[in-house]
Amino acid sequence: MLRAVKPKNARSKRALEAREPKEVEDERMVIFVPGTKTGEVVDKAMKELMALKRPHAISFSKKNTIHPFEDASSLEFWAQKNDASMFVIGQSTKKRPAGIIIARTFDSRVLDMCELGIDRFVSMAEFKTPKSTPGHKPMLHFASDLFDTHPRYIQLKSLLIGFFNGEVIESICLPGLEHVISVSIAPSSNLQSTSVPLGGTQQEDPKILPKVHLRTYTIKLLPSGTRVPRVELSEMGPSIDFSLRRHQEADPEMWKAAIKRPKLKKKDIEQGLGKKKKNLEVDEMGDLRGRIHVAKQDLGRLQTRKMKGLKVSLGEEDGDTDDSASDVEETSLRNRRGDRP
């Protein structure tokens, strides 16, 4: 563990306060670290992933002898020094060629990691299409049920959201949506999806896990004659096919501390987000949803529309129903013919 640093002046105190946990966190800073041997494919893939992450990206030009799964002390030192919370380490060995490792930290300690093998890579330069502006917040699309059911893909989805997700915004401007990142999974009949929470343990052969396809598209808004424009997508790259390799799951206690939310303010409690108003919750999209409990209704006492022809006179009993019905029919016939009694 790194020793706690006490501020010597006001400037260093403000710098330390800026690194403290916040209710709404800033965009994650990602450090791209090349290993001892990388190769041309890994270098290009890291370069173009960094282009999608700019300006919140730092690139190390010097190669480093680093093995995150065996010793993560270097990552913790760089995270503390550069105020970064994610790493992308590129390595290529004989046993694991063309691989990258995505690591995430919490409180300057490694939280979890996932190693991906690059099976296919197509650069941006091969797509003769317009490119998005660096620094714009992308839209993310995950096209598979395994991202919500299988623990390996739940972890990968969480890492990719943390990697590509930009700053938190309150409103969206349509012209500011320039590109979308789509992540899909190849079909596989040998894989059984099991619902296991992140932080659990499950051993599975990576060879039977289907590949992950990452595609990037630019968005073009065209007039449609209505207020909602017509949207067209054109692939801009990079196009990468990943295969899952090694992974390190988060420690349950550290994961619990990482997802802990601050206490609600008085304003949020008054809006129904706290404990004073029950049966209210906020879904993943930020919408407030409520649950209403309705008692069992007695349909025998249900008030319906009253009709004059269905009324029963006060002197009639249940046993006289047939006689009264015949009298009513006879009276109605006389009235139609205009006869008087």
Side-chain angles (χ1 to χ4, degrees), residues 111 197-201 249-260:
L111 181 63
L198 192 62
T201 58
E249 297 175 347
D251 181 72
E253 295 297 330
M254 190 184 300
W255 179 257
K256 184 178 180 180
I259 64 175
K260 184 179 180 179

Side-chain angles (χ1 to χ4, degrees), residues 255-269:
W255 179 257
K256 184 178 180 180
I259 64 175
K260 184 179 180 179
R261 295 183 178 181
K263 292 184 178 180
L264 295 174
K265 298 180 181 179
K266 182 179 179 181
K267 177 182 67 175
D268 297 332
I269 295 177

Side-chain angles (χ1 to χ4, degrees), residues 5 9 20 35 37 66 69 89 99 108 173 177-178 182 192 198-199 203 207 217-218 283 291 293 306-307 313 334 338:
V5 180
N9 48 39
E20 292 180 354
K37 295 181 180 180
I66 180 173
F69 287 97
I89 302 104
S108 299
C173 179
L177 300 175
E178 294 191 0
S182 176
Q192 296 180 356
L198 192 62
Q203 300 294 331
K207 294 181 180 179
Y217 303 91
T218 53
D283 59 8
R291 181 182 299 175
H293 296 275
K306 295 182 179 179
M307 296 181 65
S313 59
R334 289 176 181 177

Side-chain angles (χ1 to χ4, degrees), residues 116-173:
L116 303 173
I118 302 175
D119 299 330
R120 178 178 171 272
F121 173 77
V122 182
S123 175
M124 287 185 183
E126 300 186 23
F127 295 96
K128 307 301 180 182
T129 54
K131 312 301 179 186
S132 62
T133 305
H136 277 226
K137 186 180 179 72
M139 292 189 293
L140 297 176
H141 174 244
F142 293 90
S144 179
D145 294 336
L146 293 177
F147 286 118
D148 299 322
T149 57
H150 197 276
R152 291 297 307 272
Y153 295 99
I154 292 175
Q155 181 190 31
L156 179 61
K157 178 182 178 180
S158 178
L159 288 170
L160 292 178
I161 289 177
F163 179 84
F164 288 112
N165 195 18
E167 60 182 352
V168 179
I169 57 178
E170 297 181 356
S171 59
I172 298 175
C173 179

